[in-house]
């Protein structure tokens, strides 16, 4: 962000994070400015003939009337280039690790530092040559940013023409990597880094269909409420229901290339826990530390509220940048409720007419703008690292936002506004969390609006959609029967209905409940999840058939195979499918023997 030392305005109003200024005749809406003698970072959010209104992203205590305002001439931008991976930034993309070394743990106001290391050498390997014609989005070459991520250097927006020069070898972000002659004869320098306004979505060729699920390793998500790659989901839940734990689990185990984790207004100890764990945890596919494919943006609860909005937009812009390279990106926002609270506070300082529960009237549109930046897209420029001339490069951003409704009330405006624009809803249940049921996702309130039956049929098993609907039907039937039991008692149920309660308990405790710390169960492949569900439902089908022959429920409950079903989750991934297949055969054998003994007894 360029600094302009010419004083162009003066402060005439201070109301918390909102500052009014006069004399800013040449400023534009959403321009960044330096506020006061300490040069606090602010953004113009309202303009009229007499005054500009600025939201300040730093603490405004101590500001005085009449202090100067300096224009920067550009909006809030993200600096995009090699060096983002493994870093932790604040909402203004200031590198917190670097600042901590220079300034200590407590940062001063108005401090700034380049987002990316200026003097670090990067090994650039070109994929194109002199004379090639390029357009925006074409890949010029790659840089090994980390052990698991290749940084694909792209032609920036607004540049096209023929390559006149392209470099190779070690470069810094201050060095140009290529010279491109535009159709009008102008020579454009392309650097390893460029800036992009965070409020402006990055362009792409076209949106693609949502046809492939994002495998998370959590059985209740992958089996019943999958999120497609490029889709959006929210996790609403009250305090202590496990929102942060689920998001951290998604960051570790999800089938994505890049993770952007935004801690928006969350407690500092939660962000510290993430920072301490990620360097120690290994990616299950590459074996390298997870931090090597993660970008962290920390805006903790003790930071100024206005900066929460900046952190959300900064995170999604970085995610779009890696999406444009052709990567699958998962962005986790924890939590969007804190962002909504910041909007409410700034709106009240602006003296706007409040909407529902004091939130601004434009809350729903702001939330929709954010979630609309998810998607599975065809990238501009096409091509790939191995074949730049190809046209099949695509990427995706999957957005998962945590929502913290007061008292767990899902009628909260932020929850309702988010639900309208997202495709997956994982409702966290306070009672499940109290019973130590992880993940505490309520299967009767949650939903997924995208039908992925065809993908599951083609890549897992033909009967997968049928089994999934059958399991959900049993769980729904249990909810109805439990109401009867509470009114009349379990003795009023028939053996068939009591068997449904037995199977639903097995589904809850032995399939949906999962360990958050035990290595063998913290991640479950889709194949193992399918066979676990198939074994339980096979037990259900055979039980119903056996009971029709006259065998009582008491004998079924004493079946030896029930203990093996309960321990399926403890089977290692390598042998799980083989063992479960053998167990299904055991079910058939044991129940056939049970029917034979019953027939002999009653002969």
């Amino acid at each position: 962000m360029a600094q302009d030392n010419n004083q162009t305005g003066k402060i005439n109003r201070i109301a918390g994070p909102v500052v009014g200024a006069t004399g800013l005749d040449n400023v534009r809406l959403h321009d960044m400015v330096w506020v006061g003698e300490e040069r606090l970072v602010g953004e113009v959010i309202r303009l009229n003939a007499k005054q500009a209104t600025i939201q300040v992203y730093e603490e405004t205590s101590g500001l005085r009337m009449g202090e100067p305002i300096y224009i920067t001439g550009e909006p809030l931008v993200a600096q995009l280039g090699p060096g983002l991976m493994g870093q932790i930034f604040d909402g203004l993309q200031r590198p917190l690790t670097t600042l901590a070394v220079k300034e200590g743990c407590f940062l001063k106001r108005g401090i700034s530092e380049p987002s990316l290391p200026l003097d670090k050498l990067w090994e650039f390997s070109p994929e194109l040559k002199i004379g090639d014609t390029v357009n925006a989005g074409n890949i010029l070459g790659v840089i090994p940013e980390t052990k698991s991520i290749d940084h694909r250097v792209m032609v920036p927006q607004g540049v096209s023409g023929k390559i006149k020069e392209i470099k190779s070898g070690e470069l810094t972000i201050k060095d140009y990597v290529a010279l491109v002659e535009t159709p009008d004869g102008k020579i454009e320098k392309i650097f390893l880094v460029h800036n992009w306004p965070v409020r402006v979505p990055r362009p792409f060729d076209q949106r693609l269909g949502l046809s492939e699920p994002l495998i998370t390793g959590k059985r209740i998500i992958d089996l019943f409420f999958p999120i497609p790659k490029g889709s959006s989901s929210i996790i609403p839940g009250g305090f202590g229901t496990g929102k942060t734990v689920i998001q951290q689990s998604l960051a570790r185990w999800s089938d994505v290339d890049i993770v952007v984790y935004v801690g928006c207004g969350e407690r500092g100890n939660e962000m510290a826990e993430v920072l301490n764990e990620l360097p120690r945890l290994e990616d299950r596919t590459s074996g390298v530390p997870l931090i090597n494919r993660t970008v962290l943006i920390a805006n903790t609860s003790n930071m100024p509220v206005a900066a929460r909005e900046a952190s959300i937009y900064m995170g999604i812009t970085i995610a779009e940048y890696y999406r444009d390279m052709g990567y699958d990106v998962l962005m986790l926002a924890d939590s969007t409720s804190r962002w909504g609270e910041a909007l409410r506070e700034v709106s009240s300082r602006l003296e706007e007419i409040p909407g529902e529960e004091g939130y601004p009237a434009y809350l729903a549109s702001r939330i929709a703008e954010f979630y609309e930046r998810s998607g599975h897209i065809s990238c501009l420029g096409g091509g790939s690292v191995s074949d730049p001339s190809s046209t099949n490069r695509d990427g995706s951003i999957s957005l998962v936002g945590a929502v913290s409704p007061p008292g767990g009330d899902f009628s909260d405006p932020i929850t309702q506004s988010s639900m309208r624009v997202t495709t997956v809803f994982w409702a966290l249940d306070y009672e499940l969390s109290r019973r130590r049921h992880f993940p505490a996702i309520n299967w009767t309130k949650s939903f997924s609006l995208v039908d992925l039956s065809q993908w599951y049929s083609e890549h897992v098993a033909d009967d997968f959609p049928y089994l999934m609907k059958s399991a959900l039907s049993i769980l729904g039937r249990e909810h109805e029967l439990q109401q009867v039991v509470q009114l009349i008692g379990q003795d009023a149920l028939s053996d068939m209905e009591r068997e449904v309660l037995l199977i639903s308990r097995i589904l809850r405790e032995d399939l949906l409940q999962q360990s958050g710390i035990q290595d063998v169960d913290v991640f479950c492949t889709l194949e193992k999840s399918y066979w676990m569900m198939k074994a339980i439902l096979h037990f259900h089908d055979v039980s119903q058939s056996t009971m029709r022959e006259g065998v009582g429920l008491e004998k079924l409950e004493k079946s030896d195979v029930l203990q093996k079903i309960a321990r399926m989750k403890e089977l290692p991934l390598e042998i799980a499918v083989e063992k479960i297949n053998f167990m299904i055969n055991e079910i058939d054998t044991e129940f056939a023997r049970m029917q034979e003994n019953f027939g002999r007894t009653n002969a």
Side-chain angles (χ1 to χ4, degrees):
M1 187 183 300
Q3 294 191 22
D4 187 342
N5 291 319
N6 296 319
Q7 179 178 335
T8 59
K10 290 185 177 181
I11 296 175
N12 70 348
R13 176 177 179 264
I14 303 173
V18 176
V19 169
T22 58
L24 300 179
D25 298 330
N26 298 320
V27 77
R28 298 169 298 182
L29 191 65
H30 295 312
D31 267 3
M32 300 302 295
V33 294
W34 302 100
V35 179
E37 295 172 354
E38 292 185 273
R39 292 181 177 273
L40 310 181
V41 180
E43 180 184 20
V44 178
I45 58 174
R46 179 189 286 178
L47 285 171
N48 58 38
K50 297 180 180 180
Q51 179 174 277
T53 304
I54 301 162
Q55 68 174 357
V56 183
Y57 291 133
E58 299 183 73
E59 179 59 50
T60 57
S61 299
L63 275 182
R64 300 190 308 271
M65 303 290 286
E67 285 198 50
I69 303 286
Y70 302 98
I71 290 179
T72 65
E74 57 185 37
L76 174 63
V77 297
Q79 192 175 33
L80 305 174
L84 291 170
M85 282 295 112
Q87 292 288 339
I88 175 170
F89 303 100
D90 70 354
L92 303 177
Q93 208 189 5
R94 294 180 295 198
L96 296 181
T97 306
T98 304
L99 289 175
V101 173
K102 291 186 175 182
E103 302 290 333
C105 296
F106 297 95
L107 304 182
K108 299 177 182 177
R109 297 189 302 171
I111 193 171
S112 63
E113 181 73 17
S115 302
L116 303 177
L118 299 178
D119 299 320
K120 183 174 181 178
L121 293 173
W122 301 97
E123 185 66 32
F124 176 74
S125 301
E127 295 284 344
L128 300 179
K129 61 184 184 302
I130 294 175
D132 286 343
T133 301
V134 294
N135 295 299
N138 285 141
I139 295 175
L140 293 173
V142 295
I143 290 172
E145 187 171 1
T146 66
K147 292 182 179 179
S148 56
I149 298 298
D150 284 336
H151 192 100
R152 301 165 183 175
V153 181
M154 298 173 289
V155 178
Q157 297 298 314
V159 177
S160 63
K162 287 190 175 182
I163 297 177
K164 302 299 291 183
E165 179 186 352
I166 187 166
K167 294 184 177 181
S168 177
E170 293 186 337
L171 300 170
T172 69
I173 62 173
K174 296 183 291 185
D175 301 322
Y176 71 87
V177 68
L179 297 177
V180 174
E181 183 179 8
T182 62
D184 58 3
K186 184 180 177 181
I187 300 296
E188 292 278 359
K189 288 184 177 181
I190 298 178
F191 294 86
L192 295 181
V193 65
H194 69 279
N195 296 335
W196 189 267
V198 297
R199 291 183 181 271
V200 180
R202 289 178 62 88
F204 50 83
D205 185 25
Q206 62 177 339
R207 285 190 181 271
L208 304 177
L210 303 176
S211 58
E212 179 183 354
L214 175 66
I215 306 303
T216 64
K218 296 290 173 278
R219 287 188 288 270
I220 187 170
I221 294 176
D222 294 340
L223 293 178
F224 295 158
F225 312 110
I227 174 174
K229 282 187 177 179
S231 185
S232 55
S233 171
I234 59 171
I235 315 177
F239 176 78
T241 52
K243 298 182 295 296
T244 300
V245 176
I246 291 176
Q247 287 204 319
Q248 291 177 4
S249 179
L250 294 177
R252 180 179 183 185
W253 299 109
S254 293
D255 180 26
V256 292
D257 304 309
I258 306 287
V259 175
V260 179
Y261 190 100
V262 180
C264 178
E266 285 303 297
R267 295 177 290 277
N269 58 349
E270 292 184 357
M271 288 304 300
E273 182 182 350
V274 174
L275 289 174
N276 289 331
E277 283 189 0
L278 286 180
R280 297 199 305 263
L281 299 177
E282 292 185 353
D283 184 6
R284 65 184 179 89
T285 55
S286 63
V288 300
L290 282 179
I291 196 70
N292 286 342
R293 65 178 181 99
T294 305
V295 180
L296 292 168
I297 297 178
N299 187 265
T300 53
S301 55
N302 63 330
M303 293 181 178
V305 293
R308 297 176 186 176
E309 185 172 30
S311 66
I312 289 288
Y313 286 113
M314 185 65 67
I316 191 63
T317 302
I318 292 174
E320 287 178 336
Y321 177 57
Y322 282 98
R323 174 208 65 186
D324 292 345
M325 297 182 194
Y327 287 117
D328 292 321
V329 184
L330 173 63
M331 177 176 166
L332 303 167
D334 187 13
S335 86
T336 56
S337 291
R338 308 288 179 255
W339 172 32
E341 291 167 2
L343 291 176
R344 179 167 59 184
E345 179 167 342
V346 172
S347 176
S348 67
R349 301 286 186 177
L350 294 173
E351 301 177 356
E352 296 173 334
I353 297 176
E356 187 179 359
E357 295 188 20
Y359 289 101
Y362 48 80
L363 172 70
S365 62
R366 289 286 181 89
I367 290 176
E369 287 174 3
F370 169 63
Y371 283 109
E372 280 298 321
R373 293 175 74 167
S374 65
H376 178 209
I377 59 97
S378 175
C379 305
L380 280 179
S384 65
V385 176
S386 58
D387 182 11
S389 64
S390 67
T391 58
N392 60 350
R393 190 173 93 241
D394 63 333
S396 69
I397 296 179
S398 304
L399 268 178
V400 178
V403 183
S404 305
D409 181 10
F410 290 171
S411 64
D412 169 67
I414 295 179
T415 307
Q416 291 296 314
S417 298
S418 302
M419 191 188 303
R420 294 188 192 105
V421 295
T422 55
T423 56
V424 182
F425 183 77
W426 297 324
L428 297 184
D429 189 289
Y430 181 82
E431 291 302 323
L432 285 176
S433 66
R434 296 284 75 78
R435 298 202 299 262
R436 300 295 187 266
H437 186 289
F438 176 81
I441 297 175
N442 187 301
W443 45 87
T444 60
K445 297 179 181 178
S446 303
F447 60 80
S448 178
L449 297 178
V450 181
D451 184 9
L452 297 173
S453 299
Q454 183 176 351
W455 188 93
Y456 282 110
S457 297
E458 293 175 355
H459 294 84
V460 183
D462 292 338
D463 61 346
F464 185 99
Y466 169 76
L467 294 178
M468 181 266 292
K469 292 177 182 177
S470 298
L472 282 175
S473 176
I474 292 172
L475 291 168
R477 178 63 175 154
E478 179 205 25
H479 183 68
E480 299 171 0
L481 293 175
Q482 288 290 1
Q483 293 177 332
V484 176
V485 170
Q486 290 174 4
L487 289 173
I488 306 175
Q490 192 163 351
D491 293 339
L493 301 180
S494 66
D495 277 359
M496 288 290 191
E497 291 172 329
R498 288 163 58 198
E499 190 271 344
V500 170
L501 292 180
L502 171 65
I503 297 302
S504 63
R505 179 178 60 82
I506 295 173
L507 284 171
R508 285 188 285 107
E509 297 179 359
D510 302 331
L511 179 67
L512 302 186
Q513 187 172 358
Q514 201 164 343
S515 174
I517 55 176
Q518 191 178 11
D519 290 340
V520 73
D521 194 42
V522 70
F523 172 82
C524 188
T525 63
L526 189 56
E527 185 181 25
K528 179 182 176 181
S529 299
Y530 162 75
W531 281 103
M532 289 176 66
M533 178 173 63
K534 187 178 181 69
I536 295 171
L537 294 180
H538 183 70
F539 182 91
H540 169 61
D541 292 339
V542 177
S543 295
Q544 293 271 319
S545 175
T546 303
M547 292 175 68
R548 292 190 193 99
E549 297 294 327
V551 179
L553 179 62
E554 295 77 11
K555 293 192 181 219
L556 302 183
E557 291 176 329
K558 296 177 182 178
S559 172
D560 294 335
V561 79
L562 277 179
Q563 292 297 324
K564 296 182 179 179
I565 289 176
R567 302 182 72 89
M568 284 190 299
K569 62 176 69 175
E570 299 175 6
L571 295 172
L573 297 176
E574 300 79 17
I575 62 172
V577 174
E578 179 185 352
K579 292 288 187 181
I580 295 173
N581 265 304
F582 183 75
M583 188 188 309
I584 291 175
N585 293 329
E586 281 188 287
I587 293 173
D588 292 332
T589 303
E590 184 171 347
F591 275 74
R593 188 185 310 115
M594 197 179 298
Q595 290 184 25
E596 182 180 345
N597 292 338
F598 178 80
R600 189 182 302 115
T601 303
N602 293 274

